[in-house]
């Protein structure tokens, strides 16, 4: 599994910016939605000049505007968006530095929210994450994605068709919907792992594959990775949920705090499910080791019984295998058959004794 590595992006100059992600060849695109309860306008592959025009249009001053940016390696574009909305340079740097943990911060009239989103599992079974950042200011929400994906396609569909209350709400409700869409990826990923965990638990009862334990440990690593991504999100959502009374975040309406409380509850459910799955994997590992130990004990018991049975036979054969001239039974006519009879009686007696003791 690839670890999230910290990179110091501000080396000498405080305004030094660098994209720290790996999606540096993705095409950079921007989409803009401008909507209210009565209708919407959609602009694909929009230019920054068009964004400036729409945001400064007095006729649309109260409309909700959603600017979605695909691709962060165009550092100059991100800086220009930051200048357009008068975003602090520290926030611009945090948008580009995708190695940071999930967090929420309000600087003046701007709310900054960055979150780790789960990407589909790769062929080698590893999980990767993508950082998605949000900026809320006035009636505008800007979402930054490292690469093009379909996380929010159903939200766009709601805006286009006027389904639900999305067009009746403001940008804070749109933030809730996008965070909810990101969390759905966690649920889908965990559900996929639960099927795998169930198979591993069943296999642990009769596992003979050499790589069984390595597969269990890899699954545990991926679940721990998911837990590490969910924990800071839970903390950030708890801050949003708890800010209702204190009015800590001015950009979030009081009526929207209830929705963020639901997201916080989902985080708790995700963590509980991951903890349960980790416990199930631990149980599968322990059962596998116990079964292996029991199987080994049975093998050792069988070998020991055979060894004990043949020990007196070896002794008898060893005695009569000596080449002394004056051995009493050496010239007995039926000595060979008598020795065989003694050995067979010895075997029968020992087997009967072991069976009576329930040793096999």
């Amino acid at each position: 599994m690839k670890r999230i590595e910290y990179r110091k992006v501000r080396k000498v100059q405080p305004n030094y910016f660098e994209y720290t992600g790996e999606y540096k060849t993705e095409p950079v695109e921007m989409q803009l939605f401008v909507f209210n309860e009565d209708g919407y306008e959609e602009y694909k592959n929009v230019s920054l000049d068009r964004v400036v025009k729409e945001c400064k249009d007095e006729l649309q001053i109260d409309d909700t505007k959603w600017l979605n940016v695909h691709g962060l390696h165009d550092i100059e574009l991100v800086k220009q968006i930051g200048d357009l909305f008068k975003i602090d340079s520290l926030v611009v740097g945090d948008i580009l530095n995708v190695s940071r943990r999930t967090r929420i911060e309000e600087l003046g009239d701007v709310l900054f929210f960055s979150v780790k989103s789960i990407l589909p599992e790769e062929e080698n079974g590893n999980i990767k994450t993508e950082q998605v950042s949000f900026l809320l200011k006035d009636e505008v929400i800007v979402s930054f994605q490292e690469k093009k994906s379909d996380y929010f396609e159903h939200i766009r569909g709601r805006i286009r068709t006027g389904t639900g209350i999305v067009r009746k709400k403001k940008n804070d409700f749109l933030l809730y919907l996008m965070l909810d869409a990101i969390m759905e990826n966690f649920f889908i990923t965990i559900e996929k792992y639960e099927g795998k965990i169930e198979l591993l638990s069943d296999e642990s009862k009769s596992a003979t594959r050499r790589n069984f334990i390595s597969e269990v440990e890899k699954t545990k690593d991926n679940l721990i990775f998911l837990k590490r991504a969910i924990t800071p999100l839970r903390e950030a959502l708890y801050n949003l949920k708890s800010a209702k009374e204190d009015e800590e975040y001015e950009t979030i309406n009081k009526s929207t705090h209830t929705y963020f409380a639901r997201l916080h509850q989902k985080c708790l459910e995700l963590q509980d499910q991951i903890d349960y799955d980790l416990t199930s994997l631990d149980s599968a590992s322990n059962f596998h080791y116990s079964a292996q130990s029991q199987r080994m004990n049975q093998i050792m018991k069988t070998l020991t019984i055979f060894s004990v049975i043949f020990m007196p036979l070896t002794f008898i054969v060893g005695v009569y295998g000596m080449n002394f001239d004056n051995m009493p039974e050496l010239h007995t006519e039926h000595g060979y058959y008598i020795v065989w009879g003694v050995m067979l009686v010895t075997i029968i007696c020992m087997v009967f004794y072991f069976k009576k003791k329930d040793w096999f």
Side-chain angles (χ1 to χ4, degrees):
M1 182 184 305
K2 182 178 179 180
R3 295 178 58 189
I4 299 176
E5 298 180 355
Y6 171 78
R7 293 184 59 187
K8 188 175 181 180
V9 297
R10 297 181 183 86
K11 299 176 182 178
V12 180
Q13 303 87 352
N15 291 328
Y16 176 82
F17 302 107
E18 178 185 355
Y19 170 58
T20 61
E22 56 183 288
Y23 304 103
K24 299 182 179 180
T25 59
E26 298 289 331
V28 179
E29 296 181 5
M30 294 194 300
Q31 305 89 36
L32 177 66
F33 275 90
V34 181
F35 61 88
N36 55 32
E37 187 175 354
D38 298 324
Y40 79 98
E41 294 181 5
E42 180 180 358
Y43 305 93
K44 298 181 179 179
N45 297 323
V46 66
S47 65
L48 192 60
D49 292 336
R50 183 70 182 188
V51 174
V52 174
K53 180 180 178 182
E54 294 297 326
C55 291
K56 293 185 177 181
D57 189 347
E58 294 184 359
L59 296 177
Q60 298 177 333
I61 194 67
D62 294 327
D63 294 347
T64 302
K65 304 166 188 67
W66 173 23
L67 174 63
N68 187 58
V69 181
H70 287 135
L72 298 181
H73 54 278
D74 190 342
I75 299 174
E76 191 59 35
L77 175 62
V78 178
K79 289 171 61 179
Q80 290 175 0
I81 294 174
D83 294 337
L84 172 62
F85 296 105
K86 296 181 174 57
I87 308 301
D88 192 284
S89 60
L90 296 176
V91 174
V92 175
D94 288 339
I95 293 173
L96 296 170
N97 184 7
V98 299
S99 62
R100 298 292 176 85
R101 76 197 302 263
T102 297
R103 68 190 184 94
I104 183 173
E105 183 178 6
E106 190 172 54
L107 299 173
D109 58 348
V110 177
L111 180 73
F112 171 65
F113 200 124
S114 66
V115 62
K116 299 294 182 185
S117 178
I118 296 298
L119 294 175
E121 187 177 2
E122 297 181 325
E123 293 181 0
N124 57 9
N126 289 339
I127 293 178
K128 300 186 69 175
T129 61
E130 173 194 1
Q131 177 167 296
V132 182
S133 300
F134 303 98
L135 294 174
L136 273 73
K137 181 177 181 180
D138 299 329
E139 305 300 330
V140 180
I141 181 170
V142 186
S143 55
F144 297 90
Q145 297 178 247
E146 292 187 66
K147 67 186 196 69
K148 194 169 184 179
S149 58
D150 57 354
Y151 298 150
F152 311 135
E153 189 58 36
H154 66 288
I155 301 176
R156 297 186 182 96
R158 290 186 186 183
I159 295 175
R160 295 183 184 115
T161 60
T163 306
I165 59 174
V166 60
R167 293 212 317 224
K168 300 177 183 179
K169 295 287 187 177
K170 296 298 182 181
N171 54 357
D172 54 350
F173 183 77
L174 196 57
L175 173 63
Y176 154 73
L177 289 179
M178 287 190 277
L179 291 176
D180 186 58
I182 290 174
M183 290 184 65
E184 282 300 314
N185 289 333
F186 284 93
F187 278 104
I188 293 172
T189 303
I190 292 176
E191 184 177 356
K192 181 178 179 180
Y193 272 102
E194 284 181 345
K196 187 175 183 180
I197 291 169
E198 186 176 350
L199 292 176
L200 289 173
S201 297
D202 293 338
E203 189 179 355
S204 66
K205 298 176 177 59
S206 59
T208 56
R209 291 189 296 123
R210 291 186 177 182
N211 63 340
F212 172 77
I213 290 298
S214 63
E215 189 171 344
V216 170
E217 292 300 318
K218 187 174 184 179
T219 305
K220 287 172 65 175
D221 289 341
N222 285 339
L223 288 176
I224 292 172
F225 184 82
L226 287 172
K227 188 173 182 179
R228 287 179 57 194
I230 292 171
T231 300
L233 177 59
R234 182 203 65 192
E235 295 172 357
L237 290 172
Y238 178 78
N239 291 336
L240 273 177
K241 183 190 76 167
S242 305
K244 182 176 182 180
E245 300 299 331
D246 301 334
E247 297 183 356
E248 182 179 351
Y249 299 107
E250 297 180 358
T251 51
I252 303 296
N253 295 319
K254 279 190 174 183
S255 59
T256 315
H257 282 82
T258 304
Y259 298 106
F260 291 108
R262 293 179 182 177
L263 292 182
H264 179 257
Q265 186 63 34
K266 283 189 175 183
C267 277
L268 296 178
E269 293 175 5
L270 285 170
Q271 283 200 315
D272 289 342
Q273 192 59 49
I274 290 177
D275 290 336
Y276 175 79
D277 292 338
L278 288 172
T279 303
S280 298
L281 287 174
D282 286 335
S283 299
S285 298
N286 294 335
F287 190 92
H288 174 74
Y289 285 125
S290 298
Q292 292 292 90
S293 298
Q294 186 178 10
R295 191 177 296 112
M296 182 62 67
N297 290 337
Q298 290 293 337
I299 294 173
M300 293 303 298
K301 182 192 293 185
T302 302
L303 294 176
T304 301
I305 289 174
F306 274 100
S307 299
V308 171
I309 289 175
F310 279 95
M311 281 176 63
L313 305 184
T314 304
F315 172 76
I316 295 173
V317 172
V319 169
Y320 287 97
M322 294 186 293
N323 296 319
F324 292 107
D325 291 334
N326 297 320
M327 289 183 65
E329 296 86 2
L330 187 62
H331 300 288
T332 303
E333 182 179 358
H334 301 291
Y336 174 76
Y337 303 104
I338 293 172
V339 170
W340 263 109
V342 170
M343 289 192 295
L344 289 175
V345 170
T346 303
I347 292 174
I348 293 171
C349 291
M350 295 183 71
V351 170
F352 177 77
Y353 179 78
F354 293 154
K355 192 69 176 177
K356 186 177 181 181
K357 291 290 186 179
D358 198 23
W359 288 357
F360 67 91

